[in-house]
Amino acid sequence: MNELPIIVVSPLIAGFLAWLLRVRGIREIIGVAGSLVPLALLIKLYPSLGGRLEFTINVAGFKLGLMLSHLTWVFSMIAAVVGFTAILGMVSTARDNWEWLFALMSLTGVLGVFMAYDLVTFFISWEVMTFASFMMVLRYNRHASLKYFILSIVGAYAMLIAIGLIYAKTGTLTFPEVSAIFSQDAMTKMMGGPGLFTKTETMLIYGLFLLAFGVKAGMFPLHVWAPDAYSETNQSYTAMFSGVLSKAGVYGFILLYILMYGKLIVEFGHFRSAPTFGYIIAFLGGLTIIVGGILAALQEDIRKLFAYSSISQIGYILVGLGVGTALSIEAAIYHAISHALFKGLFFLIVATLIYRTGKTEFKDFGGLAEKMPYTFAMAFIAILSLAGIPPLVGFTSKWLIFEAVIHENLPILGGMVFFGSAIGFVYLIRFTYAVWFGQRPSDIENTKDAPLPLAIAMGILGALNVIFGVAPGLVAQELNKIFGKTIIAGNIWELDLGFGRYNGLLLTIWMTIGLLIAAIIYFMGARVRRVPVTDTYQSGNPVTMEYNLTIRRNFFLPLKEAMAFWLRISFDKLYHDIWQSIEDFAETARNYIYNGNVQAYAWYLAIILIILAAMGV
Amino acid sequence: MLEAFLKALLIILYATFVGFMFMGIIRKVTARIHRRIGPPIYQPIIDTIKFFSKKENITHGVIYDFGIIFALGATILALMFIPLGGVSILRAYGDLILITFLLEIPMLGIMFAAMSSGNPYAGIGAQRALLTLLAIQVPLGFAIVALAEYYGTFSTYEIVMAQQIHGWSIFHLPLLLAAIAYDIVLQAMFGKEPFDIMIAPGEISLGPMVEFGGKHMGILQIQHAIGLFAETLFFSNIFLGGAVVMTFASPILNTLATLVILLIKQLAVLLIAIFISTIFPRFTIDQAARFYWKWPTIIAALGAILASL
């Protein structure tokens, strides 16, 4: 018996126990312990990663397997760390044992996805994850949850068809064997022989996988479920939902590379320096960045803003993956890590805000920085990290993606990622302005700072954001091991790509020096006197608290107007229309076929008999 | 270590002084174009000294002070990475992307401070500043992409060295297009008409700056001076060949010659900006967004595509 199944199953068991024991206090302890076990075991297994860490079991005629390599360890660690902090946050925000069960179940699902050794385990874990996250949303909003569920199911069964196709041709389901068969097939094809898979079949499998993983990752135009599902649930859970569960889609794309890379290149060739199939992913990723970013800027609800922001950041990861060089994939995984860290932090902040104030819309907030200094400090770290301000981890990973993409001579993608970094700035400042600064509405005058469990969870993620930013090599060297060779050179402080260098420590030191100089100049001036918010310039007029001085609604109206044409095109509406016509069709079918007329049913029987007679039965 | 620190201090002092002179030149040249005499060239220095000698300053909270300090600190940090001939401190790490990001950070600090004051003019100014930032990012991005693709490196210093051999960037067609786009972007980065929408004097009472007075405004003046210096220096380095003079035997003479050449190039960049700014009225913010997403983007994207072929 080894540790791998314990890692995967322990959250589920803990969730089940927490669900059974409805005792407040005990269920929290069990839940947190259940999410701590995978983290502890993954750290314990780290030294033995080089060897074979596998676990197989025969169930219902299938060999189910788990394994731990460098790649899966990195992803599992993302899941374990962010999952642990999210569960910690739930100690404050969870409403009943239902949430404990399904939150922990989805952690099991996602760990299973990352550690799966074969397509069956992968698919089962994928479904566990989808189901558990659906149940989490269901309690809050039925419409949002059904939208999420149906899109996920479409994706999941697309994947099932693809798996079926692969199994029908190859007769195996474990990753190494499938991968070996595909690369052998690619080799045969290159020699001019008849391949095992035809071009159409390869394209079909690729398309189905693209649909399956695209839905989970929130890729444009399959992103419509994310804003609703991310916002209509427990926000502590969303830290995991957006931080980790969306990474399952990303991991799926990596899996696509592992299984079919050579075959897909042989069949579809290259577009400039990127493989064509990768360029499609990257281009959709670029659109995801832009669409997610612009929509994030136009939201009036904090949860929605961060949901779209999450979509936008996933776009970066897809761009990195799509370009398809070792460096760009490493950059994408790096961004997956940093996205999990800062977006997990953001949703915990949102959870704190909602827990303390009970409000979600920008129009109800303002001036909270003085009332919640700790949460604001954490928000400050998260803002700097997401906006890509050195020396935080968000900058490092974005910088790697920029360099990796531009170095491959892909100018259009380069322009897209540049736009994404600016739009990130834009929507974060909107969040900062409306929530933390300005006038404070009188009904949130007595807001307290974050509760302890949330504060600890935020502290962990905040510290990791800073540490990985100042010492970017810690992550980079770990990622190098995935490929087994040095792709990003340098030491723990420095990244060296050959055509660009970045040193987190030196940058931090000089930033500190710069801030010191600025502070010295500041303190040379005369003393400052503190004035209230209403003691301000209002074209020379006196103002009182009755005036609303802070712009809280429609902050980016000019952007909305400049984009009016594009905003009319909505995929959300399109899917709604499609779904509506399916429902109409079902109604029509019911009216005509099940019409309640006995003679009609007799006629159906007669028609079937005629058909059978015509077939000569 | 101490030597590096002294060198950094010298660079900062030089940049601040030259930056203030640039601000004076802007006022002087603008005045001459309007057939006025204008203030003396050292006027901005006097202004700044006056700001610091106010007897009382106001604050709206910790972020109000910290934002200002952050803006100046980040500007100093950006300056350290841009090669100043052979002198600069961190030029080995002077990465194109890093410097582009670093030049944007001061804006974040200013906006944090401005927004924490709770003034509605500051809010509207921040909104305009952000949309300007969003608008210029597209052509700016393409221009940087064009440079990186043409030279195959992201190191600013290596780009300067490559220009010593192959001639200035603007003499190659793809990079000329990038340079044109970047120059239009510079107008907004400097905060000059027709893209001074974020400050917009006369329209929204200085926007983000509306609440600052005394030493806060003084620090912003210093920040603006260093920012002007850094932005012109970056443009001269990547498009106008920078300068690395090695003709003299004495290293001091070489350094001085380098600085003089760079200064001339920086002045050229600045003068173009002034000439444009004095004869064009201000755009509205949506006009600016549409403008930047049209012509400069097309020009820069063309440059980037040509450079990648």
Side-chain angles (χ1 to χ4, degrees):
Chain A
M1 195 65 188
N2 64 24
E3 291 93 337
L4 298 187
I6 303 176
I7 293 177
V8 174
V9 181
S10 59
L12 183 61
I13 295 172
F16 199 67
L17 285 177
W19 181 68
L20 279 179
L21 298 167
R22 294 157 180 263
V23 189
R24 209 180 145 72
I26 294 176
R27 86 174 166 209
E28 274 81 7
I29 292 169
I30 292 174
V32 172
S35 66
L36 198 55
V37 169
L39 187 60
L41 283 178
L42 280 170
I43 293 170
K44 183 183 156 248
L45 285 178
Y46 176 70
S48 48
L49 270 185
R52 290 174 66 82
L53 281 172
E54 288 175 14
F55 169 81
T56 43
I57 182 175
N58 275 307
V59 175
F62 285 110
K63 245 170 66 177
L64 301 188
L66 297 170
M67 57 118 197
L68 206 56
S69 65
H70 282 287
L71 174 70
T72 55
W73 186 81
V74 167
F75 273 91
S76 305
M77 266 315 265
I78 300 178
V81 172
V82 180
F84 172 62
T85 54
I87 297 293
L88 208 53
M90 277 183 60
V91 171
S92 306
T93 59
R95 299 195 301 200
D96 48 20
N97 7 5
W98 167 293
E99 292 188 9
W100 284 100
L101 172 60
F102 291 112
L104 285 159
M105 187 195 272
S106 64
L107 188 57
T108 288
V110 80
L111 282 167
V113 166
F114 291 151
M115 287 166 53
Y117 188 57
D118 58 274
L119 287 165
V120 178
T121 319
F122 186 79
F123 182 75
I124 292 173
S125 309
W126 187 275
E127 286 299 76
V128 169
M129 174 180 88
T130 305
F131 172 70
S133 49
F134 158 70
M135 292 305 262
M136 283 301 286
V137 186
L138 183 63
R139 265 290 167 97
Y140 287 75
N141 186 317
R142 205 178 128 79
H143 182 257
S145 70
L146 285 176
K147 185 153 97 181
Y148 167 53
F149 196 58
I150 287 169
L151 274 164
S152 291
I153 286 294
V154 168
Y157 289 97
M159 179 158 74
L160 194 61
I161 295 170
I163 292 174
L165 279 172
I166 291 174
Y167 187 68
K169 290 273 181 178
T170 63
T172 177
L173 283 170
T174 54
F175 293 152
E177 287 175 30
V178 173
S179 168
I181 289 170
F182 268 115
S183 55
Q184 203 184 0
D185 191 25
M187 206 73 93
T188 327
K189 196 80 171 192
M190 220 147 49
M191 300 298 179
L196 186 60
F197 289 87
T198 63
K199 189 164 181 169
T200 333
E201 282 164 348
T202 319
M203 201 189 285
L204 187 64
I205 294 175
Y206 167 66
L208 289 169
F209 273 139
L210 194 67
L211 183 66
F213 304 140
V215 167
K216 202 78 252 158
M219 182 174 75
F220 176 84
L222 305 166
H223 63 277
V224 295
W225 61 269
D228 290 352
Y230 285 168
S231 53
E232 295 293 340
T233 182
N234 186 332
Q235 292 302 299
S236 297
Y237 175 71
T238 311
M240 180 176 17
F241 202 173
S242 148
V244 184
L245 263 63
S246 65
K247 301 299 169 304
V250 171
Y251 182 72
F253 283 114
I254 295 176
L255 198 63
L256 189 69
Y257 276 85
I258 294 173
L259 295 183
M260 306 174 65
Y261 184 66
K263 173 73 178 166
L264 285 170
I265 285 189
V266 169
E267 290 288 1
F268 304 124
H270 281 84
F271 177 80
R272 300 177 61 100
S273 53
T276 310
F277 78 95
Y279 195 84
I280 294 171
I281 299 175
F283 194 80
L284 287 172
L287 288 178
T288 312
I289 297 177
I290 295 173
V291 171
I294 288 175
L295 289 176
L298 300 176
Q299 297 308 311
E300 298 293 318
D301 186 309
I302 331 179
R303 304 169 301 172
K304 283 257 163 68
L305 185 147
F306 285 116
Y308 277 112
S309 144
S310 198
I311 296 170
S312 179
Q313 298 298 316
I314 293 285
Y316 277 98
I317 304 174
L318 296 183
V319 169
L321 285 181
V323 170
T325 57
L327 174 62
S328 78
I329 291 175
E330 220 171 82
I333 300 174
Y334 203 136
H335 196 67
I337 295 171
S338 63
H339 173 254
L341 290 179
F342 60 64
K343 198 42 70 71
L345 184 51
F346 262 127
F347 277 112
L348 289 176
I349 290 159
V350 173
T352 312
L353 285 171
I354 293 175
Y355 178 71
R356 281 301 188 203
T357 65
K359 301 178 188 306
T360 63
E361 289 194 41
F362 285 124
K363 66 178 166 55
D364 301 324
F365 284 108
L368 278 176
E370 290 163 25
K371 291 285 165 186
M372 310 170 87
Y374 179 78
T375 315
F376 176 69
M378 288 300 141
F380 191 66
I381 291 177
I383 289 162
L384 295 190
S385 193
L386 200 158
I389 306 294
L392 289 153
V393 69
F395 176 76
T396 318
S397 55
K398 271 189 196 173
W399 177 81
L400 279 172
I401 288 179
F402 277 99
E403 308 256 312
V405 170
I406 297 169
H407 188 66
E408 293 305 306
N409 282 342
L410 299 165
I412 301 298
L413 288 180
M416 281 170 160
V417 287
F418 257 100
F419 184 81
S421 78
I423 193 89
F425 232 78
V426 166
Y427 58 69
L428 285 178
I429 299 291
R430 194 236 191 291
F431 161 72
T432 322
Y433 179 58
V435 173
W436 301 106
F437 296 145
Q439 223 177 351
R440 191 166 40 247
S442 51
D443 55 339
I444 53 173
E445 192 56 52
N446 294 322
T447 311
K448 287 200 285 284
D449 209 337
L452 188 65
L454 269 169
I456 296 171
M458 286 192 284
I460 293 171
L461 290 181
L464 285 176
N465 265 305
V466 176
I467 292 168
F468 287 163
V470 176
L474 285 177
V475 183
Q477 286 175 359
E478 208 47 54
L479 297 179
N480 280 337
K481 289 183 192 156
I482 293 174
F483 288 90
K485 59 180 187 231
T486 306
I487 290 161
I488 302 173
N491 49 38
I492 68 163
W493 308 112
E494 184 174 330
L495 305 179
D496 190 351
L497 305 179
F499 46 84
R501 286 165 84 187
Y502 171 70
N503 190 319
L505 183 67
L506 262 181
L507 196 137
T508 316
I509 292 172
W510 283 97
M511 186 169 227
T512 319
I513 293 174
L515 288 177
L516 274 179
I517 293 173
I520 290 169
I521 297 173
Y522 174 81
F523 286 113
M524 279 187 339
R527 298 197 37 201
V528 291
R529 178 169 62 90
R530 183 72 194 265
V531 296
V533 151
T534 48
D535 189 357
T536 192
Y537 173 79
Q538 182 57 36
S539 305
N541 292 315
V543 283
T544 61
M545 279 307 273
E546 268 76 73
Y547 290 82
N548 180 14
L549 295 176
T550 312
I551 308 161
R552 300 206 176 95
R553 267 179 240 196
N554 260 336
F555 192 66
F556 289 117
L557 195 61
L559 180 66
K560 207 179 201 169
E561 282 165 0
M563 293 263 156
F565 172 74
W566 295 103
L567 291 173
R568 282 218 308 272
I569 305 166
S570 156
F571 274 89
D572 209 5
K573 255 189 231 137
L574 177 71
Y575 293 134
H576 264 285
D577 289 348
I578 292 174
W579 185 248
Q580 198 62 50
S581 34
I582 291 174
E583 277 189 350
D584 287 349
F585 176 73
E587 186 67 26
T588 315
R590 198 173 63 198
N591 287 342
Y592 281 84
I593 297 172
Y594 304 102
N595 48 17
N597 184 342
V598 181
Q599 285 191 359
Y601 298 135
W603 273 110
Y604 299 156
L605 202 60
I607 290 167
I608 302 277
L609 286 174
I610 291 168
I611 291 172
L612 285 176
M615 284 163 70
V617 180
Chain B
M1 191 61 212
L2 189 69
E3 193 197 14
F5 188 71
L6 282 177
K7 223 155 85 178
L9 209 60
L10 275 179
I11 292 176
I12 295 167
L13 288 177
Y14 173 72
T16 316
F17 178 73
V18 173
F20 274 127
M21 288 299 118
F22 282 177
M23 285 161 75
I25 289 168
I26 291 175
R27 295 185 67 174
K28 197 84 185 166
V29 173
T30 313
R32 287 297 155 88
I33 290 173
H34 296 155
R35 297 202 180 179
R36 291 183 282 116
I37 295 171
I41 196 168
Y42 50 82
Q43 182 66 37
I45 299 182
I46 301 176
D47 290 347
T48 309
I49 291 172
K50 187 194 140 197
F51 280 130
F52 275 103
S53 45
K54 295 274 182 191
K55 280 205 180 120
E56 195 184 55
N57 301 296
I58 60 136
T59 179
H60 282 283
V62 180
I63 295 297
Y64 187 79
D65 303 329
F66 178 74
I68 301 288
I69 295 174
F70 186 68
L72 180 55
T75 319
I76 291 173
L77 179 68
L79 182 70
M80 292 296 121
F81 283 91
I82 305 173
L84 185 66
V87 205
S88 84
I89 310 286
L90 299 169
R91 70 169 182 227
Y93 301 99
D95 188 278
L96 280 180
I97 310 275
L98 180 68
I99 296 174
T100 315
F101 264 77
L102 286 178
L103 288 175
E104 280 165 14
I105 300 177
M107 180 113 103
L108 188 80
I110 295 174
M111 260 183 295
F112 262 67
M115 291 184 309
S116 74
S117 74
N119 190 299
Y121 287 105
I124 208 86
Q127 179 230 58
R128 289 159 163 237
L130 284 168
L131 292 182
T132 314
L133 183 80
L134 184 64
I136 63 174
Q137 202 72 11
V138 185
L140 178 68
F142 278 123
I144 297 292
V145 170
L147 269 172
E149 287 180 347
Y150 191 86
Y151 289 109
T153 175
F154 285 85
S155 159
T156 315
Y157 190 66
E158 275 175 37
I159 288 177
V160 172
M161 294 315 276
Q163 290 178 70
Q164 301 283 316
I165 302 161
H166 303 293
W168 294 6
S169 294
I170 52 167
F171 295 136
H172 309 289
L173 178 67
L175 296 185
L176 175 65
L177 295 174
I180 293 169
Y182 200 106
D183 199 61
I184 302 173
V185 165
L186 267 187
Q187 209 72 19
M189 284 167 77
F190 290 158
K192 295 261 106 202
E193 286 100 337
F195 303 108
D196 64 340
I197 310 155
M198 117 178 204
I199 305 167
E203 192 180 331
I204 51 163
S205 321
L206 280 184
M209 318 316 196
V210 63
E211 271 290 288
F212 299 128
K215 63 180 177 181
H216 296 85
M217 198 63 198
I219 290 178
L220 282 185
Q221 289 272 334
I222 299 174
Q223 186 272 331
H224 186 61
I226 301 180
L228 262 184
F229 181 85
E231 278 153 15
T232 49
L233 181 64
F234 187 51
F235 187 88
S236 317
N237 266 324
I238 55 179
F239 288 116
L240 303 180
V244 180
V245 180
M246 302 204 187
T247 42
F248 301 106
S250 137
I252 296 174
L253 273 179
N254 276 333
T255 309
L256 284 178
T258 309
L259 291 182
V260 169
I261 292 173
L262 274 174
L263 198 60
I264 293 167
K265 289 177 179 174
Q266 284 172 276
L267 268 177
V269 179
L270 191 70
L271 282 174
I272 294 173
I274 303 172
F275 293 156
I276 295 172
S277 79
T278 42
I279 55 169
F280 280 100
R282 185 179 310 134
F283 277 175
T284 63
I285 183 67
D286 54 324
Q287 285 169 339
R290 286 205 198 101
F291 172 79
Y292 272 119
W293 287 337
K294 206 188 239 168
W295 298 114
T297 300
I298 292 171
I299 294 169
L302 203 63
I305 290 166
L306 284 178
S308 73
L309 291 179

